[in-house]
Amino acid sequence: MSASHDWFFFKKNIELKYIGLENAIIHMQRTDSVWNHQFIVNYFSTPSSGKKDKDGIQLNLKKIELNNVILRQKDAWTGKDMIIALRTFDLDAKEINFAKKQININSLLLADPIFSEYKYTGRRPASIQTGTTLPPKADSLLKWNAEGWIVQLDKLTIKNGLFKEDRQSESPVLPYFDGRHIAFRDINGVFTNLHWEKDTITAHVDLNTKERSGFEVKKLVADMKLTPQEMSFAGLDIETNNSTIRIFTG
């Protein structure tokens, strides 16, 4: 690398105005306890003699655009395969600051997003299925948000999404709702004022979707609160193909 480009790596405050990725497939797999990309993780996690300088760097990110990107993860060790795909991921940020652990986003658009998960019997021996349980720490934020990030997203828009979850089973898929084979299609929704701090996620939700069994959520509007212990909805207004539920708050 020429000296004329080295300045980037020595700046304390770095602002990346734009990151883009198009027509990409990312494949992760393992058949034992080691991932195929573990050598990359090891390289970047190796302690550096310049750690003090590294901690002082502030990286701020402004805009991310992903088009036709697929992440495939095949985990034969634990028995869980996953696919995450996006036709469009368009993020416009006010600030994504890694040093401050703060994310403040104007808008995020997900067009044709897919999340698919399949669980089956893995190759990991039963003798090491569970490790030593660590004693709980005082702050519950360690469950979902161990690093203490604060996330504020003004508007999240989802267009034509798919959420699918399957489990290995010898019996056929039931024609009605089957908890072993869940598939919500045509997910369209807007989440506004989404805030994540410690273990609590709050947002105003307005969405609709259809499940493969025929169950349809024609409308779901509510102020949502999500924690490891609860999922609650205030001012709930939900309409399905067979019922209407409205809960008014004073």
Side-chain angles (χ1 to χ4, degrees):
M1 177 177 292
S2 64
S4 61
H5 293 80
D6 289 345
W7 64 271
F8 177 84
F9 296 97
F10 293 101
K11 289 173 67 75
K12 289 291 185 180
N13 299 296
I14 302 171
E15 181 175 292
L16 296 179
K17 294 184 179 296
Y18 176 82
I19 291 179
L21 185 63
E22 187 171 3
N23 299 327
I25 298 177
I26 303 167
H27 188 70
M28 303 163 60
Q29 67 177 21
R30 66 175 177 175
T31 55
D32 53 27
S33 60
V34 181
W35 288 98
N36 64 325
H37 63 282
Q38 189 61 47
F39 69 99
I40 300 175
V41 176
N42 293 342
Y43 178 82
F44 285 101
S45 62
T46 301
S48 171
S49 59
K51 188 176 186 302
K52 182 177 181 180
D53 293 335
K54 179 181 175 182
D55 291 340
I57 295 176
Q58 293 192 17
L59 175 61
N60 189 17
L61 183 59
K62 290 294 184 182
K63 189 172 182 63
I64 302 174
E65 285 187 2
L66 308 178
N67 293 295
N68 299 321
V69 174
I70 301 174
L71 169 64
R72 292 176 178 163
Q73 178 180 291
K74 184 176 180 60
D75 189 353
W77 182 242
T78 62
K80 183 171 68 174
D81 296 349
M82 182 176 65
I83 296 176
I84 299 175
L86 295 159
R87 180 175 64 83
T88 301
F89 177 102
D90 190 348
L91 183 146
D92 179 28
K94 299 176 185 176
E95 180 183 38
I96 301 179
N97 195 303
F98 292 87
K100 296 179 181 179
K101 297 181 180 178
Q102 293 182 357
I103 299 177
N104 197 338
I105 299 171
N106 289 313
S107 62
L108 172 58
L109 167 64
L110 304 177
D112 296 326
I114 296 173
F115 178 87
S116 178
E117 187 175 75
Y118 176 62
K119 295 181 180 179
Y120 52 95
T121 302
R123 301 177 61 178
R124 181 172 60 180
S127 59
I128 57 173
Q129 285 284 344
T130 57
T132 303
T133 303
L134 296 175
K137 297 188 178 182
D139 199 331
S140 64
L141 69 83
L142 293 173
K143 294 181 180 178
W144 280 2
N145 191 2
E147 298 298 325
W149 285 79
I150 298 176
V151 179
Q152 173 66 36
L153 173 54
D154 293 346
K155 184 178 182 180
L156 165 62
T157 303
I158 300 175
K159 295 183 178 180
N160 193 35
L162 168 64
F163 174 86
K164 187 176 182 181
E165 184 178 83
D166 287 305
R167 293 178 181 272
Q168 185 181 43
S169 175
E170 296 181 359
S171 57
V173 180
L174 301 175
Y176 43 88
F177 185 84
D178 188 342
R180 299 166 303 169
H181 307 283
I182 300 172
F184 282 96
R185 303 179 183 275
D186 301 328
I187 302 173
N188 294 282
V190 177
F191 296 73
T192 53
N193 195 27
L194 191 153
H195 188 79
W196 184 7
E197 187 169 356
K198 294 187 176 180
D199 250 359
T200 303
I201 301 173
T202 57
H204 180 75
V205 181
D206 185 348
L207 64 82
N208 56 81
T209 183
K210 301 175 182 177
E211 213 275 328
R212 62 149 197 94
S213 60
F215 174 72
E216 180 178 356
V217 179
K218 295 184 176 180
K219 179 178 71 171
L220 191 159
V221 178
D223 291 319
M224 178 190 73
K225 179 181 178 181
L226 184 64
T227 74
Q229 293 78 33
E230 68 170 319
M231 177 185 290
S232 61
F233 299 91
L236 178 65
D237 185 355
I238 181 170
E239 180 181 344
T240 74
N241 43 348
N242 294 310
S243 62
T244 300
I245 299 173
R246 291 187 178 93
I247 301 177
F248 299 98
T249 55

